[in-house]
Amino acid sequence: MNVMLIFLAAIAAIIFWWLSGQRLTSKPWLETGSVQLPVHNGAERQRLPAPAVKIGLFVFLGVVGAVFSLAVSAYFMRAASADWWATPVPRLLWVNTAALALSSAALQWAKREAQHDRMESLRPALVAGLALAIFFLVGQIQAWRELTAAGYVLADNPSNSFFYMLTGLHGLHILGGLAVLAHTTVRAFSTDVAPERLRLSVDLSAIYSHFMLAVWLLLFALFAGWANDFVDLCRTLLS
């Protein structure tokens, strides 16, 4: 139970941090006077509240965080059994983690370029983020192949089952985000795309990428054994 609460707290902190940057906590009914519109390239761009699709994304991410928190909680409870043997962490996961982090950084770069309508820089940033995310998925599949070749198959012990389940669940969410990101990248190369819609698509892709990176870092810490030390420390402080 403590593990689930810690995981949920981490996910909630990430969501709150993003919400605070999206003006979702503002109170427009308390604001008086005319709204000042920032000027960019001679045109006024209105600062509107976050659209419904962005709020829906945060709700979806909250649900995803809850699902992963329940899975991690089950992981810790099952790890206390006598038939549990830890699954080794393939070295390739370090490379995959770096690729996912670089993909998230590339999409943050793309978000900044989209906000300033710099299409020449936006397009390579989106392509880089997409390519690195694909590299991450391919690397995860290769890590699975290395483990199975070494004899760590799915049904061999509970630790293997949880490893494949958690990494597979995370990979499916990355794959879903890739579909949206690929569509956004194609639209960025189109000549008739609306700038406002493109900025929103890039923004949503960046938020989703950052969230999935945070989830993966927590899972990676779990597989590497660092999460066990953190939980033990939290239990010691709370006791």
Side-chain angles (χ1 to χ4, degrees), residues 167-190:
T167 55
L169 183 62
H170 180 266
L172 286 176
H173 283 86
I174 292 291
L175 186 61
L178 275 178
V180 178
L181 179 57
H183 180 67
T184 301
T185 304
V186 171
R187 290 175 60 191
F189 285 89
S190 177

Side-chain angles (χ1 to χ4, degrees), residues 12-26 50 54-59 207:
I14 296 169
I15 295 176
F16 178 79
W17 177 65
W18 276 105
L19 287 173
S20 63
Q22 304 300 324
R23 301 191 66 212
L24 296 182
T25 57
S26 62
K54 182 177 289 187
I55 299 176
L57 175 62
F58 284 114
V59 173
I207 293 172

